């Protein structure tokens, strides 16, 4: 018998019509009744954490969820009461939550699977039941880590992005294979995934989340003619890190609107300046063009093929560990949880 903890945070999955549009209000007991018959070898425990549209999920919720998962993992004198955990979540910020939990829960010894839906559970043609069933099966798989289950696919949590607003195929795994897919034979896990990160043997034998973070970051999506003095503004207001979404492979302008000079000044002042691509697929490479090589020479930190959600949450998590720019750069030269393909 596998025992799975399901934590409900709200989202479309748990929503009903209200005077102001769809709003989360369905609790765990109601969800369980709407799931119908389920695998008798799986026992489900339900818990309501919140009833939130995911647009209202904040970093302190990530911290709270990570700590609750840590408690669940370490119940019964370090022998977990649960074989896996499912987190029901709104889709709009689901990829951010899954990415941050990947960093906060490094070394988690069981599957943590985040899921949601494009239509509320109980509505005709809803995808909620299928997504939840897939998530529960993944949580019972014994494959430790943080994942997203959606549209009969399982994705590594730090590699998933929401790419569509209305379709049931709302999420894709970016620059990384699917962890598993559901077909007529059930949930089939990918046994040939790239595994170029390793469990840190220095972690304590009793799992403990590391939930420290900083929100003093900004994301800049470049456009032609953008003014570079934004760096001075952010620095004056105490921001510790900036992620620049550059053009193409990660290039930034260096002539009339000279962003490289501002990157150089900000880096020397101790700010962590990360640079990637606005393109979702295939990643950035700052070594190919002059525009990228100038960024590297000025102290810009490359993010390679990471998702935007993963860059943002990794930067927030890293700044919770240290404010030293060199140490942040060292973190981004490591593949901690499968979030990046390093050259």
């Amino acid at each position: 018998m596998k025992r799975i903890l399901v934590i409900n945070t709200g989202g479309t999955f748990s929503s009903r019509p209200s005077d102001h549009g769809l709003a989360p209000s369905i609790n765990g007991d109601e969800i369980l009744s709407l799931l119908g018959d389920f695998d008798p070898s799986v026992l489900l425990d339900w818990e309501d954490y919140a009833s939130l549209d995911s647009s209202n999920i904040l970093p302190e919720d990530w911290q709270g969820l990570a700590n609750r998962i840590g408690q669940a993992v370490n119940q019964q004198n370090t022998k977990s009461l649960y074989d896996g955990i499912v987190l029901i979540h709104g889709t709009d910020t689901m990829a951010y939550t899954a990415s941050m939990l990947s960093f906060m829960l490094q070394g988690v010894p069981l599957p943590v699977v985040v899921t949601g839906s494009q239509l509320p559970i109980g509505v005709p043609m809803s995808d909620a039941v299928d997504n939840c069933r897939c998530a529960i099966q993944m949580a019972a798989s014994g494959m430790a880590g943080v994942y997203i289950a959606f549209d009969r696919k399982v994705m590594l949590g730090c590699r998933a992005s929401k790419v569509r607003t209305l379709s049931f195929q709302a999420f894709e795994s970016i620059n990384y294979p699917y962890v598993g897919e559901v077909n007529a034979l059930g949930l089939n896990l990918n046994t040939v995934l790239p595994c170029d990160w390793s469990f840190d043997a220095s972690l304590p034998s009793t799992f403990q989340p590391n939930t420290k973070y900083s929100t003093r970051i900004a994301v800049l999506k470049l456009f032609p003619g953008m003014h570079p003095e934004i760096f001075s503004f952010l620095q004056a207001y105490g921001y510790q890190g900036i992620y620049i979404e550059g053009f193409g492979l990660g290039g930034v302008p260096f002539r009339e609107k000279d962003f490289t000079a501002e990157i150089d000044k900000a880096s020397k002042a101790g700010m962590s300046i990360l640079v990637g691509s606005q393109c979702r697929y295939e990643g950035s490479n700052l070594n190919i063009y002059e525009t990228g090589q100038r960024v590297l020479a000025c102290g810009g930190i490359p993010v390679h093929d990471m998702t935007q959600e993963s860059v943002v949450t990794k930067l927030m998590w890293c700044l919770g560990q240290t404010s030293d720019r060199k140490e942040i750069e060292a973190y981004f030269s490591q593949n901690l949880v499968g979030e990046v393909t390093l050259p």
Side-chain angles (χ1 to χ4, degrees), residues 260-307:
T260 58
E262 295 301 319
I263 291 172
D264 185 56
K265 282 195 294 185
S267 296
K268 287 176 177 174
M271 288 185 76
S272 298
I273 311 297
L274 286 77
V275 182
S277 174
Q278 295 178 14
C279 301
R280 191 180 295 274
Y281 295 98
E282 299 176 351
S284 56
N285 188 333
L286 302 181
N287 290 302
I288 295 178
Y289 292 100
E290 180 184 6
T291 52
Q293 289 192 13
R294 283 176 175 265
V295 169
L296 292 174
C298 291
I301 301 170
V303 301
H304 308 292
D305 66 347
M306 293 176 66
T307 66

Side-chain angles (χ1 to χ4, degrees), residues 216-218 220 230-243 262-274 298-301 315 319 323-326 328-329:
R216 304 301 294 171
I217 71 164
L220 300 181
I230 186 70
F231 284 87
S232 300
F233 173 84
L234 293 172
Q235 196 171 342
Y237 277 86
Y239 282 72
Q240 299 171 292
I242 301 173
Y243 172 41
E262 295 301 319
I263 291 172
D264 185 56
K265 282 195 294 185
S267 296
K268 287 176 177 174
M271 288 185 76
S272 298
I273 311 297
L274 286 77
C298 291
I301 301 170
L315 179 57
L319 285 167
S323 59
D324 184 273
R325 200 205 73 84
K326 285 293 184 184
I328 300 294
E329 184 174 13

Side-chain angles (χ1 to χ4, degrees), residues 22 24 32 53 69 89-90 96 121 126 136 215 252 266-267 281 288:
L22 287 174
L32 183 58
D53 186 295
I69 291 167
H89 196 285
Y96 287 98
I121 192 168
S126 174
I136 292 167
T215 58
V252 305
S267 296
Y281 295 98
I288 295 178

Side-chain angles (χ1 to χ4, degrees), residues 186-204:
L187 175 61
N188 291 277
L189 298 178
N190 189 342
T191 58
V192 292
L193 290 169
C195 290
D196 47 0
W197 76 98
S198 58
F199 179 76
D200 185 352
S202 67
L203 292 172

Side-chain angles (χ1 to χ4, degrees), residues 108-121:
V108 66
L110 47 72
V112 176
V113 190
V114 189
T115 194
S117 65
Q118 293 288 76
L119 284 173
I121 192 168

Side-chain angles (χ1 to χ4, degrees), residues 135-156:
I136 292 167
Q137 289 299 317
M138 184 61 197
S141 71
M143 190 170 175
V146 179
Y147 306 96
I148 280 180
F150 213 90
D151 189 39
R152 304 194 176 203
K153 300 175 182 68
V154 178
M155 294 152 263
L156 200 61

